[in-house]
Amino acid sequence: MRKILHILVLLVPLIILSSCKKDIEIDYHQVNPLYAVEASVSNEGMQARISMTNDMDDNSTTSDISEAIVVITGSDGSSVTLPYVRNGIYKSSEKGIPGVTYTIDIQIDGHHFTSSSTMQKMPTINQFHFIWKPIMGERFLMGELLFQDIPNEDNWYFVHLYRNNKGFRWGVKRDEVDPNKELQQLFSFAREGSSDEDMLVEGDRMHLELRSIDQKTYDYFYSMQMMDNTGTNPLQNFTGGCLGYFSAYSQVTYDCVFHTAEVVEKD
């Protein structure tokens, strides 16, 4: 996600979910450095990563920020100051509580950034597997995630798929079509027989993260997903003018190894 934030400053609209490849001529201009924040509260702890954007041709200095004051408060009266760890990361083992609204307050060299997010209930993964799906006479390899919608409330989800420890695909989903039922998220990889680098190979290690998120976080990631169509940057998630997002969420994970023999045929 850090690379995405750097690209946003240069106003280059790229869609991350696409597996298409094409040559792109990048026309960018010099911009003033901006702070970028990726922060979260989850069932695994609290964390914020803070950096400063650089120009595309500037590799002379580090962009990690180590002198910030980062405080996360909850609507339940809790307050945690995140200590600095390394590489622009501030971290605490304090876990979030579903239903609590958390506010992050960041102060850096006279700048002040805030954002808030409400932690959601824990999602449930029913199944994740790989399928061959026929499209216009050809077969495409896809990953299919099936998960149970949290019942009797509005819900929003973020899914991130990693390949060999590197971010590979991500997407957002909401329960507006099938509330209280099983939801599906598909990830398209490549056409059968293709030499595309997105085609999985035997033994690839896959890691899946499913998060239940609030609507504000969903709106941010959905606007990022739609960048290629709108030609604009994502919605602002912070006050104060920094890039990035703050999200309180509950997360479940799933790990597997890709084996061609286990891919399922699907209509």
Side-chain angles (χ1 to χ4, degrees):
M1 299 300 294
R2 189 178 180 192
K3 182 182 292 184
I4 296 172
L5 294 175
H6 179 76
I7 293 174
L8 294 180
V9 181
L10 305 175
L11 303 180
V12 181
L14 302 177
I15 183 164
I16 300 174
L17 291 176
S18 174
S19 62
C20 299
K21 296 289 184 291
K22 61 181 180 179
D23 293 330
I24 301 175
E25 293 185 5
I26 300 177
D27 180 18
Y28 68 91
H29 55 274
Q30 300 288 320
V31 295
N32 293 326
L34 295 172
Y35 288 103
V37 178
E38 300 167 66
S40 64
V41 172
S42 74
N43 52 300
E44 298 177 353
M46 302 179 178
Q47 179 171 303
R49 182 162 193 169
I50 306 174
S51 60
M52 178 76 77
T53 61
N54 295 325
D55 289 322
M56 183 69 80
D57 56 359
D58 179 13
N59 295 315
S60 61
T61 59
T62 179
S63 61
D64 295 331
I65 302 299
S66 61
E67 302 298 327
I69 299 174
V70 183
V71 180
I72 295 179
T73 56
S75 58
D76 60 349
S78 60
S79 179
V80 179
T81 299
L82 274 59
Y84 180 73
V85 180
R86 64 184 180 280
N87 300 331
I89 296 175
Y90 302 73
K91 195 171 185 178
S92 169
S93 60
E94 190 77 21
K95 296 176 173 60
I97 300 173
V100 174
T101 297
Y102 292 94
T103 299
I104 187 169
D105 186 289
I106 301 172
Q107 297 189 48
I108 314 171
D109 193 26
H111 298 276
H112 184 207
F113 310 118
T114 63
S115 184
S116 61
S117 181
T118 302
M119 187 167 173
Q120 306 298 297
K121 297 177 182 177
M122 187 72 69
T124 301
I125 294 176
N126 291 341
Q127 184 181 28
F128 177 74
H129 62 169
F130 301 99
I131 63 175
W132 289 115
K133 188 170 181 64
I135 300 176
M136 299 182 65
E138 296 186 286
R139 295 200 309 170
F140 285 80
L141 180 65
M142 294 187 175
E144 181 182 48
L145 170 64
L146 301 174
F147 60 99
Q148 191 63 43
D149 183 39
I150 299 170
N152 304 319
E153 59 184 56
D154 293 331
N155 297 288
W156 304 267
Y157 303 94
F158 174 86
V159 188
H160 201 170
L161 182 64
Y162 294 80
R163 176 188 186 185
N164 299 324
N165 298 319
K166 296 182 179 180
F168 188 49
R169 293 286 190 275
W170 66 265
V172 288
K173 190 87 173 179
R174 61 181 304 175
D175 63 353
E176 59 184 348
V177 177
D178 293 312
N180 302 337
K181 298 181 181 179
E182 185 176 69
L183 303 178
Q184 178 196 56
Q185 177 70 42
L186 287 174
F187 295 100
S188 178
F189 301 134
R191 174 177 50 83
E192 183 183 23
S194 170
S195 59
D196 194 301
E197 63 182 14
D198 284 343
M199 176 59 77
L200 302 185
V201 298
E202 189 72 18
D204 273 346
R205 291 173 289 109
M206 312 302 293
H207 173 75
L208 178 75
E209 297 177 351
L210 171 64
R211 302 173 184 174
S212 56
I213 59 178
D214 64 359
Q215 184 173 7
K216 181 180 178 182
T217 306
Y218 172 88
D219 290 343
Y220 173 84
F221 281 114
Y222 182 77
S223 67
M224 179 180 285
Q225 187 173 289
M226 296 301 293
M227 284 169 53
D228 198 44
N229 296 327
T230 62
T232 60
N233 285 336
L235 297 174
Q236 287 289 320
N237 188 266
F238 274 90
T239 64
C242 75
L243 301 175
Y245 68 95
F246 170 62
S247 177
Y249 59 82
S250 293
Q251 173 178 280
V252 290
T253 63
Y254 177 79
D255 292 276
C256 65
V257 176
F258 175 75
H259 296 296
T260 304
E262 297 177 356
V263 181
V264 178
E265 298 285 348
K266 194 148 187 178
D267 296 333

